[in-house]
């Protein structure tokens, strides 16, 4: 297939590393709340582990829908505020999740779904992501490490 990879980041350092890893990708310095692409530019848009760090995740979600074709897919991975490992940390030490980021948000499976659906994305499927720990598949989906939302842009 003829696949073209386009990426953005707000960090020159991250872009330099990405250029080494994927020299054929088109990479741009930009914020996710203001994507430098026309409406419906992509068949698929992916935001893995970033939206929770945006200054304005509401605008970021809308931008993902804006740049994706109506028959396309938007994939978003978001962290769970009730991850089983974090619950154990609270029980043991009294501290919740902290990945030492300047801006970091956590939400439940339905809090993130609501944010996406209130902002121009229709969630079609939610997949649990458990960071290579196969045994965590035995736990309820609501205790996953992250959630991957498969969405379509909501028709206007």
């Amino acid at each position: 297939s003829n696949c073209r990879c386009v990426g953005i980041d707000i960090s020159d350092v991250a872009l330099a590393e990405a250029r080494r890893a994927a020299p054929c990708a088109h990479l741009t310095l930009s914020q996710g709340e203001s994507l430098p692409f026309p409406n419906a530019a992509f068949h698929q848009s992916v935001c893995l582990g970033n939206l929770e760090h945006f200054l304005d995740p509401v605008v970021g979600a809308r931008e993902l829908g804006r740049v994706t074709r109506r028959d396309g897919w938007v994939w978003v991975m978001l962290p769970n505020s009730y991850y089983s490992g974090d619950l154990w940390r609270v029980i043991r030490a009294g501290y919740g999740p902290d990945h030492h980021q300047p801006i970091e948000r956590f939400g439940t499976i339905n809090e993130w779904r609501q944010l996406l659906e209130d902002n121009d994305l229709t969630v079609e499927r939610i997949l649990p992501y458990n960071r290579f720990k196969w045994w965590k598949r035995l736990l309820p989906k609501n205790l996953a490490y992250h959630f991957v939302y498969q969405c379509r842009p909501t028709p206007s």
Side-chain angles (χ1 to χ4, degrees):
S1 80
N2 186 9
C3 182
R4 182 175 62 119
C5 183
V6 176
I8 69 154
D9 205 295
I10 61 169
S11 165
D12 284 325
V13 174
L15 287 173
E17 182 62 30
R19 284 186 181 98
R20 280 192 287 282
C24 62
H26 174 75
L27 304 171
T28 303
L29 184 69
S30 179
Q31 290 185 317
E33 294 94 332
S34 181
L35 297 173
F37 309 112
N39 295 347
F42 302 103
H43 291 287
Q44 295 198 46
S45 297
V46 179
C47 186
L48 299 179
N50 297 305
L51 191 63
E52 70 272 18
H53 302 293
F54 283 21
L55 290 174
D56 192 339
V58 164
V59 174
R62 288 181 187 152
E63 278 292 276
L64 287 166
R66 181 187 68 77
V67 301
T68 307
R69 295 179 185 181
R70 293 293 166 232
D71 62 343
W73 292 106
V74 177
W75 299 86
V76 184
M77 184 168 77
L78 293 160
N80 185 4
S81 56
Y82 289 93
Y83 163 56
S84 60
D86 290 335
L87 290 176
W88 179 243
R89 187 176 304 110
V90 170
I91 291 167
R92 260 188 19 255
Y95 290 100
D98 182 1
H99 299 135
H100 311 291
Q101 299 286 326
I103 297 173
E104 183 170 46
R105 295 173 185 85
F106 297 88
T108 65
I109 193 169
N110 287 323
E111 289 167 345
W112 286 126
R113 174 201 292 265
Q114 192 71 54
L115 181 136
L116 297 171
E117 290 192 338
D118 285 350
N119 294 288
D120 304 335
L121 296 171
T122 300
V123 175
E124 302 245 337
R125 188 163 67 151
I126 305 170
L127 303 166
Y129 173 76
N130 279 307
R131 214 169 119 189
F132 312 112
K133 296 185 179 177
W134 66 268
W135 59 271
K136 294 221 175 194
R137 284 184 261 154
L138 302 173
L139 297 174
K141 179 165 76 170
N142 291 347
L143 297 178
Y145 180 62
H146 279 65
F147 307 110
V148 177
Y149 294 85
Q150 181 183 7
C151 310
R152 293 232 189 242
T154 303
S156 310

